[in-house]
């Protein structure tokens, strides 16, 4: 170990790996929200009635259209609550 492995070891990353799940083809409602895991996420109004892809992790939900991220949402902690959105 000391001769082979120890010199090759690197420190752990500062940020922990953020496992995410994808949900594709989610419809944007007329109120410009999508629902994921019983939580509402706001989408820019120009995407009403369009289909978007969601990448959801513990900390955030990213919303993509045509492969480009259109918004980043930090979900409300209470199920069914309205979230805070951040500019993409």
């Amino acid at each position: 170990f000391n001769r082979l492995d120890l010199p090759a070891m690197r420190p752990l990353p500062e940020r922990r790996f953020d496992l995410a799940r994808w949900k594709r083809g989610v419809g944007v409602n007329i109120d410009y929200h999508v629902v994921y895991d019983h939580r509402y996420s706001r989408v820019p109004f120009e995407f009403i009635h369009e289909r978007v892809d969601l990448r959801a992790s513990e900390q955030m939900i990213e919303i993509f259209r045509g492969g480009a991220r259109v918004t980043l949402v930090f979900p409300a902690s209470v199920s069914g609550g309205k979230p805070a959105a951040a500019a993409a």
Side-chain angles (χ1 to χ4, degrees):
F1 174 81
N2 288 333
R3 188 170 43 89
L4 294 175
D5 294 330
L6 187 60
M9 292 179 69
R10 296 182 296 184
L12 292 173
E14 288 184 28
R15 286 184 42 194
R16 189 178 175 117
F17 180 75
D18 192 18
L19 182 64
R21 287 174 278 172
W22 285 87
K23 187 172 181 182
R24 301 199 184 268
V26 178
V28 179
N29 294 322
I30 196 164
D31 65 353
Y32 60 90
H33 284 84
V34 292
V35 179
Y36 179 81
D37 194 25
H38 306 288
R39 297 185 208 173
Y40 293 89
S41 299
R42 218 169 301 159
V43 177
F45 72 91
E46 54 266 21
F47 297 106
I48 291 174
H49 300 300
E50 298 287 329
R51 297 273 176 194
V52 296
D53 299 327
L54 306 178
R55 180 183 180 271
S57 68
E58 291 281 330
Q59 289 79 26
M60 65 185 144
I61 297 175
E62 295 173 279
I63 300 172
F64 294 84
R65 175 74 171 124
R69 187 170 76 183
V70 295
T71 193
L72 173 65
V73 180
F74 299 97
S77 58
V78 177
S79 181
K82 299 290 182 178

